Amino acid sequence: MLSQIKTLAEHLAPRLLEIRRHIHAHPELSGEEYQTAAYIAGVISSCGLHVKESVGKTGVVGELLNSSESKTLAIRTDMDALPITELTHLDFASRNSGIMHACGHDVHATLGLGTAMILSELTDALPGNIRFIFQPAEEIAQGARWMVDEGVMDGVDAILGVHVLPSIPARTVGIRYGALTAAADELEITIQGESGHGARPHEAIDAIWIAAQVITTLQQAISRTQNPLHPIVLSIGKIEGGRAYNVIADRVKMYGTVRSLNSDTHENLPQWIENLVLSVCSTYGAKYEVNYRRGVPSVQNDPTLTKILESACQEAWGSDLIKIIDEPSLGAEDFSVYLEKANGCMFRLGVGKSEAKNYPLHHPKFEVDEAAIITGVVTLAYTAYKYLLLTNSK
Ligand code: NI
């Protein structure tokens, strides 16, 4: 099966480059992927997949069905771009001004399409079903929720995902056991004090000074009251308040992001933060409001599926082209929303160029080594096959 997949992939390589370059040249923002979705739907329907469009606004779902009795593996790729003006000099650079595929989602969508093209040629040998999920709006961490709410995970037994990574070389696959990305939540804290003359602070309740205490208390309490092996990053990124240089501020509003990896820690964060804010504010007579919004959970890779992925890569590429990733990222990824419904695994696909500077994701000069596309489709297709073979023969 592996050699058939590799041969088909080599055969498809020029077509996959064409697809990737087309998507790259026509990037669309989160939730507005109309042309991209129509293009993707066209390609997969020509491979004979059952296609559903407008799933979760602009999402596309394609199914390769064998039998309702066997297991279904989902493969999720995202397809939205960023509000960045592209500064590469590629022939196929963005034609949509101010929008760029700077996070590699053009490559991801191509990988989903390439895998669908390959597996649709091998349906008879496929011991189960595959559902291809082309997701919108990953960059605003909403598309996965839109699609899950419309039932894309119904009947799915496991899910695979992929994200490019420029810091590892093309042709290499990055594999991570356990936590891959962090839970990312949003925090708003309002401190309500009492205004007064700047010369007579004792007659007022200084919301700016209390806000400073709150920030300091939160940072110190992370170090003294939270398990250091379960990291938390709390960053206040915006603060507003005050009226004039000689007027004590009556109100301060702060906005921040809170990242964590451990699910118990994540669960307890809103109450823990509120208790600290309460203790500071009540000491100094201020009122407060804490608004904690859950964003996306942490991506936790399933050990069994990760092992299947690793052994597929071992067979396909050998250990020199496998990079076991030692540390999770505190970035966020809404692939975790699918993992509330089924076990899954997301891997990193190396796209680094060997003889050029590799700019990071979200950089206006971000580029990929397109050799990675073949690595990506073969890895997805063969891991999917191995998963179905192992689970359906039990
Ligand atoms: Ni991304």
Side-chain angles (χ1 to χ4, degrees):
M1 189 65 164
L2 178 58
S3 65
Q4 281 170 286
I5 289 174
K6 280 188 163 179
T7 309
L8 283 166
E10 290 300 337
H11 211 75
L12 278 172
R15 172 82 179 118
L16 294 178
L17 284 193
E18 201 177 280
I19 289 173
R20 186 260 158 165
R21 292 175 180 191
H22 175 86
I23 299 175
H24 188 87
H26 302 93
E28 293 172 295
L29 292 175
S30 305
E32 296 171 15
E33 306 89 341
Y34 301 104
Q35 302 300 323
T36 311
Y39 179 77
I40 286 170
V43 174
I44 51 173
S45 54
S46 71
C47 308
L49 273 74
H50 302 261
V51 181
K52 265 190 261 170
E53 292 181 72
S54 309
V55 183
K57 300 196 182 173
T58 40
V60 181
V61 177
E63 298 215 61
L64 271 179
L65 289 171
N66 257 333
S67 123
S68 55
E69 248 108 273
S70 38
K71 302 262 185 196
T72 297
L73 176 82
I75 294 178
R76 174 275 208 168
T77 51
D78 46 16
M79 58 184 187
D80 54 327
L82 287 156
I84 292 176
T85 299
E86 180 160 353
L87 296 179
T88 71
H89 299 289
L90 297 167
D91 299 343
F92 52 91
S94 172
R95 293 184 198 163
N96 295 345
S97 125
I99 307 178
M100 176 188 178
H101 269 296
C103 197
H105 299 191
D106 52 336
V107 174
H108 303 165
T110 307
L111 297 178
L113 290 172
T115 309
M117 288 160 142
I118 290 173
L119 293 179
S120 64
E121 299 270 334
L122 301 168
T123 317
D124 294 343
L126 208 58
N129 312 308
I130 311 263
R131 184 174 301 164
F132 294 90
I133 296 174
F134 294 90
Q135 183 203 305
E138 194 284 326
E139 294 293 355
I140 56 168
Q142 294 190 27
R145 185 68 66 198
W146 297 344
M147 294 196 85
V148 168
D149 286 349
E150 290 201 23
V152 291
M153 289 299 281
D154 295 355
V156 169
D157 298 285
I159 181 163
L160 278 177
V162 56
H163 204 295
V164 298
L165 192 61
S167 59
I168 59 176
R171 297 190 177 84
T172 306
V173 177
I175 297 176
R176 165 87 190 150
Y177 284 86
L180 181 76
T181 61
D185 300 334
E186 286 176 358
L187 177 64
E188 273 178 34
I189 302 173
T190 307
I191 310 287
Q192 186 66 50
E194 219 175 283
S195 201
H197 197 294
R200 289 186 291 279
H202 58 291
E203 293 173 0
I205 298 173
D206 184 350
I208 286 185
W209 174 68
I210 294 169
Q213 302 292 318
V214 165
I215 294 170
T216 310
T217 301
L218 287 168
Q219 297 304 343
Q220 290 176 346
I222 289 173
S223 128
R224 297 298 86 183
T225 69
Q226 293 286 334
N227 183 344
L229 297 175
H230 297 163
I232 298 172
V233 174
L234 189 159
S235 295
I236 300 292
K238 181 179 167 185
I239 179 162
E240 55 193 27
R243 297 171 192 283
Y245 68 95
N246 56 354
V247 177
I248 300 239
D250 59 341
R251 191 166 187 270
V252 169
K253 198 158 179 190
M254 303 182 266
Y255 305 81
T257 182
V258 189
R259 308 284 168 122
S260 60
L261 290 173
N262 177 275
S263 58
D264 290 339
T265 304
H266 185 225
E267 188 58 39
N268 295 329
L269 275 168
Q271 196 57 54
W272 178 78
I273 290 171
E274 175 137 8
N275 288 346
L276 289 167
V277 177
L278 165 72
S279 71
V280 174
C281 289
S282 63
T283 304
Y284 300 116
K287 295 196 177 81
Y288 71 91
E289 196 182 313
V290 175
N291 194 347
Y292 194 98
R293 276 191 302 276
R294 296 256 184 223
V296 295
S298 162
V299 169
Q300 300 281 339
N301 280 337
D302 172 63
T304 310
L305 193 57
T306 310
K307 190 78 214 158
I308 295 172
L309 165 75
E310 188 184 354
S311 80
C313 290
Q314 195 66 250
E315 283 178 60
W317 317 116
S319 44
D320 287 354
L321 294 176
I322 296 176
K323 175 161 175 46
I324 299 294
I325 299 172
D326 307 319
E327 291 176 350
S329 149
L330 287 171
E333 163 59 70
D334 76 357
F335 182 68
S336 56
V337 172
Y338 302 99
L339 302 183
E340 293 173 343
K341 303 284 179 188
N343 287 334
C345 176
M346 170 174 261
F347 64 93
R348 304 288 197 187
L349 181 67
V351 291
K353 296 185 170 195
S354 53
E355 281 164 19
K357 179 171 167 55
N358 287 297
Y359 290 95
L361 298 170
H362 294 209
H363 191 286
K365 292 184 178 173
F366 170 71
E367 284 186 35
V368 307
D369 181 339
E370 291 176 319
I373 291 172
I374 295 298
T375 306
V377 291
V378 171
T379 300
L380 283 168
Y382 192 49
T383 305
Y385 168 76
K386 276 183 75 101
Y387 166 81
L388 292 176
L389 190 68
L390 285 165
T391 51
N392 284 319
S393 60
K394 271 182 190 158

